[in-house]
Amino acid sequence: MPQFFVKSSNIQENEVIISEKEDIKHILNVLRYKINDELMLVDDNEFVYKVTITAIQKDRITTKVIEKVKSHRKLGLNITLAQSILKASAQDILVQKSTDLGVKYITPVISRYTVVKLDNDKDKEQKIDRWQKIAFESCKQCERVDIPIINKITSFNELLNSINDYDLSIVCVERNAEMSIKEFLRLNKSSMTKNLKILAIVGPEGGWSDEELNKFREKGLKLLTLGNLIFRAETAALKVLSDIIYEYEL
């Protein structure tokens, strides 16, 4: 059943108003829903409402609540994915699939071998808006109730300076690794708590430069391999997220 997000201010007792223009257009013109059809709505407090459409107007759809439950469709981990920006379609896939996997934040990074060139602040803002919209649509499709935040585009040095904000940082490399990600995760499993902040760092299509690898080492970070295979950058990000979830999901 389709899911849409609504503000708590649009909910009064057993009635919920859908007022977003794009949602109204999608419900009426794409899904072709009519009065008495059912929808799933999610508010900003992560409650899910099963509703039926009771009235349709140009600027709103009025619905009646059939059922209200607290949703648990979110990952029980606090993961930030720091990913060197990929080419257009690969970056879109990365945002979509990492949202599906439950990350709380995605930090786009400009590293030495990042192929994508962003000319000015307006270009950066447009990219962030696009990726945030992709994440939002992905949440609707997979019934996730918490929408991940796309952080501002960050330089490699800015990323390094933020390392201390996290409890556990994971750096993925295709070569020159010091241990496997599985070994690293298991060694740190005893410190795992519900509010542990995890940072997963993945490079661009061209990998990390020698200078960047040395800077990771200077920060005391272990360089980790994902296994014997060399993955595409977007695949590597999904692999590391899957490994973290497998070992640590509460």
Side-chain angles (χ1 to χ4, degrees), residues 93-152:
I93 292 171
L94 172 75
V95 171
Q96 181 189 69
K97 300 306 179 185
S98 57
T99 297
D100 290 352
L101 286 171
V103 296
K104 287 191 177 297
Y105 302 93
I106 299 174
T107 300
V109 179
I110 298 176
S111 59
R112 173 67 178 83
Y113 295 132
T114 298
V115 175
V116 177
K117 303 300 179 186
L118 301 172
D119 298 325
N120 50 56
D121 289 341
K122 182 178 179 181
D123 194 14
K124 292 179 180 179
E125 290 171 5
Q126 289 175 339
K127 293 289 187 185
I128 294 295
D129 289 344
R130 173 181 171 79
W131 297 330
Q132 190 67 68
K133 184 175 181 180
I134 290 172
F136 180 72
E137 291 300 323
S138 183
C139 285
K140 290 166 62 175
Q141 292 170 4
C142 65
E143 298 184 16
R144 179 177 167 178
V145 294
D146 61 324
I147 303 168
I149 295 173
I150 312 297
N151 291 326
K152 71 179 183 70

Side-chain angles (χ1 to χ4, degrees), residues 6-61:
V6 294
K7 297 178 181 178
S8 296
S9 57
N10 283 25
I11 303 170
Q12 295 183 358
E13 296 182 357
N14 291 324
E15 184 177 270
V16 184
I17 303 297
I18 301 170
S19 57
E20 290 292 329
K21 292 181 180 180
E22 289 299 316
D23 289 343
I24 294 171
K25 181 179 178 180
H26 187 81
I27 291 167
L28 300 182
N29 298 341
V30 178
L31 298 176
R32 298 187 179 278
Y33 275 29
K34 298 178 171 39
I35 291 176
N36 295 326
D37 284 335
E38 295 183 353
L39 291 168
M40 298 295 290
L41 305 178
V42 180
D43 69 12
D44 35 32
N45 294 312
E46 299 179 1
F47 280 99
V48 177
Y49 301 81
K50 182 179 180 181
V51 303
T52 56
I53 298 173
T54 57
I56 297 173
Q57 297 171 272
K58 183 178 181 180
D59 61 345
R60 65 174 55 194
I61 296 175

Side-chain angles (χ1 to χ4, degrees), residues 230-244:
I230 299 294
F231 297 107
R232 293 168 62 96
E234 65 271 28
T235 307
L238 303 182
K239 174 67 165 61
V240 66
L241 293 176
S242 298
D243 285 347
I244 294 169

Side-chain angles (χ1 to χ4, degrees), residues 81-87 90-91 93-94 113 115 172 174 201-208 226 230-241:
L81 172 64
Q83 169 77 56
S84 293
I85 302 171
L86 308 178
K87 295 176 184 177
Q91 183 71 19
I93 292 171
L94 172 75
Y113 295 132
V115 175
C172 302
E174 69 275 17
I201 305 173
V202 182
E205 289 93 338
W208 302 111
L226 298 177
I230 299 294
F231 297 107
R232 293 168 62 96
E234 65 271 28
T235 307
L238 303 182
K239 174 67 165 61
V240 66
L241 293 176

